């Protein structure tokens, strides 16, 4: 028999797992908790009135694992708050953490958080969350600027940055602290219950221990038939719920006398929430746009210019534009300004140092002549073109209210990166030449070499590549961004390749308007890519009712 020496943190943590109709995934969530080791004293799984086999899966796991208990709700609550409250009431361990049934805790997460809380005496400890896009498996760190080094936050002023992290799941909480301040989730149907819970926690101004480690894996399954409550943003009800949750969060801070947190919450709404919804606005129908526009203007009207001025570019420009425009307009321009990376498309109206949205809507845009280049929503148009010497990436750097003309772009470095990656596999340098409206350049695409690098990295099928550019100016300034591909320039072609015979090449616009390259090296890979595309089109037709 193996003897396990108890650690000082053994039995400190209770984990509340909530589940509704998630029989295929909840087992992975539970196992990720049980694998955390002796720091986990108990797991309370709350089945929120599931109609599938979730309750059975949980009961079978509980029969095998003594640390797991199951709470069965006979009627679905309609949200995540009520089952979490049920779980907190059932937990007996001194510290609690929350987990959703379609997510997981990475190894060591529980011990890392509990150790930070124990070491600092903080009633709350928080770590980094990673959004894992499935099925691709691409990881994106949530609010990365907050979690780059260990810290102990003390007092409301120190907590201001955490207003941007509204998640409740990447944190551990002392149960006595929650009880003392009466902190609980809103019951029933509440789309953004974590906004309100987190606001109540921060309003109590606890000491908070911050760790840079990843402590939560948030699985994002956008293609699922049943998206999560918060990711289901197709209807106007979601925007209405978002605005209502934000108002309540601000009121929570103000009632607690936390003016700095209330101001930060408003700024966060501009920098994050407003842009998140504005970037997709043009894809909705006219009725949605009209309702969204009216709610946005009414809510922004309560902020005041001081709050709007504290937001970053592009958020404050978008807010001022929305307040000035009584009805939906310039949706393509607003969408690209709200995207990541942000771009403000022409026209660039104004005179002298005064920059305005447009001639017919002269909303002043502060910053073009004062902010550094890397903080401006600059535009570089690009595409992929075949010529007599091979395929080239061509691009044009657009002038921006005369700001770039003063700096004089001289050269550019073009980087090609695997989709979602941070390290370029190929880089090309080129000089820029002045043209009407900007500066242009081009570099060899090197498609065969690019496909070879993809194969070396393990890609055996279709390869996806992002393109980024860094422009250096004569005055020493520089900026980096993704190339913008106008939607009417998307295309596909078959390119001869000395190594693969043929490359099926596509250059297309990503969701944020950026140029991306799709490569299918070899005839067989190309045929598979075409077959997969046809399959997706057929499935889409069947979903729309046109299939057999």
């Amino acid at each position: 028999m193996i003897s396990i020496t108890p650690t000082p943190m053994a039995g400190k943590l209770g984990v509340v797992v909530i589940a509704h109709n998630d029989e295929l995934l909840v087992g992975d969530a539970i196992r990720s908790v049980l694998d955390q080791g002796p720091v986990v004293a108990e797991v309370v799984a709350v089945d929120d009135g599931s109609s599938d086999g979730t309750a059975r899966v949980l009961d079978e796991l509980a029969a095998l694992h003594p640390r797991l208990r199951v709470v069965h709700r006979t009627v679905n609550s309609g949200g995540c708050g009520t089952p979490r409250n049920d779980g907190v009431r059932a937990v007996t361990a001194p510290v609690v953490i929350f987990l959703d049934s379609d997510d997981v805790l990475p190894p060591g997460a529980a011990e890392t958080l509990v150790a930070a809380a124990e070491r600092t005496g903080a009633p709350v400890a928080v770590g980094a969350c990673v959004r894992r896009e499935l099925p691709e498996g691409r990881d994106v760190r949530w609010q990365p600027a907050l979690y780059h080094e260990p810290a102990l936050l003390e007092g409301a002023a120190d907590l201001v940055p955490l207003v941007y992290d509204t998640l409740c799941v990447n944190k551990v909480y002392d149960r006595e602290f929650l009880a003392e301040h009466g902190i609980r989730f809103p019951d029933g149907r509440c789309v953004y219950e974590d906004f309100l819970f987190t606001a109540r926690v921060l309003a109590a101004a606890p000491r908070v221990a911050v760790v840079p480690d990843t402590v939560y894996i948030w699985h994002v399954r956008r293609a699922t038939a049943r998206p999560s409550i918060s990711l289901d943003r197709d209807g106007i009800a979601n925007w209405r719920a978002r605005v209502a949750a934000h108002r309540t969060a601000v009121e929570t801070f103000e009632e607690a006398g936390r003016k700095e947190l209330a101001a930060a919450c408003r700024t966060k709404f501009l920098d994050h929430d407003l842009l998140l919804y504005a970037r997709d606005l043009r894809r909705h129908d006219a009725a949605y746009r009209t309702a969204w526009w009216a709610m946005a203007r009414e809510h922004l009207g309560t902020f005041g210019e001081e709050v709007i001025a504290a937001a970053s570019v592009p958020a404050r420009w978008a807010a001022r534009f929305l307040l000035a425009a009584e009805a939906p307009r310039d949706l393509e321009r607003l969408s690209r300004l709200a995207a990541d990376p942000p771009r403000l498309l022409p026209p660039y109206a104004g005179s002298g140092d005064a920059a305005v949205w447009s001639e017919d809507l002269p909303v002043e845009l502060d910053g073009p002549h004062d902010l550094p280049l890397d903080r401006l929503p600059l535009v570089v148009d690009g595409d992929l073109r075949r010529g007599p010497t091979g395929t080239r990436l061509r691009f044009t750097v657009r002038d921006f209210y005369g700001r770039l003309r003063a700096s004089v772009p001289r050269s550019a470095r073009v980087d090609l990166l695997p989709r979602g990656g941070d390290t370029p596999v190929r880089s090309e340098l080129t000089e820029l030449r002045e043209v009407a409206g900007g500066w242009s350049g081009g570099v060899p695409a090197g498609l065969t070499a690019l496909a070879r690098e993809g194969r070396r990295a393990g890609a055996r099928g279709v390869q996806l590549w992002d393109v980024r550019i860094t422009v250096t100016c004569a005055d020493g300034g520089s900026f980096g961004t993704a190339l913008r591909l106008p939607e009417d320039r998307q295309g596909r072609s078959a390119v001869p390749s000395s190594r693969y015979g043929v490359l099926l090449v596509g250059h297309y616009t990503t969701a944020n308007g950026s140029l991306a390259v799709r490569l299918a090296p070899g005839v067989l890979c190309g045929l598979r890519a075409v077959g997969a595309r046809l399959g997706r089109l057929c499935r889409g037709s069947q979903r729309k009712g046109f299939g057999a």
Side-chain angles (χ1 to χ4, degrees), residues 20-366:
H20 175 68
N21 288 349
D22 230 349
E23 62 178 324
L24 299 180
L25 301 173
V26 68
D28 291 337
I30 297 293
R31 281 184 283 273
S32 78
V33 173
L34 296 173
D35 289 345
Q36 296 293 313
V39 66
V40 175
E42 57 186 336
V43 185
V44 175
V46 183
D47 171 35
D48 193 12
S50 296
S51 57
D52 66 352
T54 298
R56 173 185 53 77
V57 171
L58 290 175
D59 287 339
E60 290 175 353
L61 286 170
L64 298 173
H65 302 284
R67 285 184 293 171
L68 173 61
R69 290 182 288 132
V70 183
V71 175
H72 294 285
R73 291 184 52 81
T74 57
V75 178
N76 178 250
S77 68
C80 298
T82 298
R84 289 199 185 115
N85 289 335
D86 291 345
V88 172
R89 281 192 293 269
V91 164
T92 59
V95 181
V96 65
I97 190 173
F98 303 104
L99 174 65
D100 291 347
S101 58
D102 53 351
D103 300 332
V104 294
L105 297 183
E111 187 165 342
T112 297
L113 286 171
V114 173
E118 292 275 297
R119 184 172 60 254
T120 60
V124 179
V126 56
C129 170
V130 165
R131 289 167 53 103
R132 180 164 293 164
E133 301 276 351
L134 297 176
E136 297 90 349
R138 183 167 66 97
D139 287 350
V140 179
R141 284 175 67 85
W142 171 256
Q143 300 294 342
L146 302 180
Y147 303 110
H148 54 83
E149 60 183 7
L152 178 61
L153 309 180
E154 301 184 82
D158 283 352
L159 297 177
V160 165
L162 285 186
V163 170
Y164 281 75
D165 183 1
T166 53
L167 301 180
C168 68
V169 290
N170 57 333
K171 306 169 178 72
V172 296
Y173 310 88
D174 182 275
R175 285 200 309 114
E176 288 188 4
F177 161 76
L178 296 179
E180 176 186 353
H181 294 278
I183 298 171
R184 53 184 281 118
F185 290 91
D187 283 308
R189 176 76 179 182
C190 182
V191 177
Y192 294 106
E193 80 295 329
D194 47 352
F195 283 31
L196 307 185
F197 181 85
T198 300
R200 292 166 184 173
V201 169
L202 296 180
R207 303 171 81 216
V208 177
V210 177
V211 298
D213 307 73
T214 298
V215 300
Y216 197 89
I217 306 295
W218 174 8
H219 288 149
V220 180
R221 298 175 173 87
R222 299 190 187 278
T224 183
R226 184 175 62 92
S228 66
I229 295 174
S230 60
L231 287 178
D232 187 7
R233 295 196 290 267
D234 286 343
I236 194 64
N238 186 279
W239 173 240
R240 184 181 294 109
R242 188 92 169 202
V243 171
H246 178 257
R247 282 180 173 145
T248 304
V250 170
E251 291 169 359
T252 298
F253 291 134
E254 289 179 335
E255 290 170 0
R258 312 296 184 191
K259 293 183 179 180
E260 61 274 76
L261 295 179
C265 190
R266 290 190 176 99
T267 303
K268 176 259 178 188
F269 181 86
L270 297 172
D271 285 339
H272 179 71
D273 304 64
L274 181 68
L275 299 183
L276 179 67
Y277 285 75
R279 69 185 57 152
D280 291 328
L281 187 60
R282 66 194 181 97
R283 303 185 185 279
H284 290 279
D285 61 26
Y288 179 100
R289 295 173 187 172
T290 300
W292 186 95
W293 206 271
M295 277 187 269
R297 296 182 77 243
E298 189 276 330
H299 190 45
L300 294 176
T302 67
F303 279 37
E305 174 55 29
E306 183 178 349
V307 172
I308 293 175
S312 64
V313 170
R316 65 175 182 257
W317 292 2
R320 287 170 180 157
F321 160 65
L322 284 163
L323 285 170
E326 295 183 1
R329 56 169 286 177
D330 300 345
L331 297 181
E332 171 73 11
R333 223 171 164 222
L334 177 62
S335 170
R336 297 313 178 204
L337 179 62
D340 182 19
R343 306 175 185 89
L344 182 60
L345 306 183
Y348 302 128
S351 60
D353 289 341
V356 297
W357 181 266
S358 63
E359 294 287 355
D360 66 327
L361 193 69
V363 178
E364 184 174 353
L365 306 180
D366 63 312

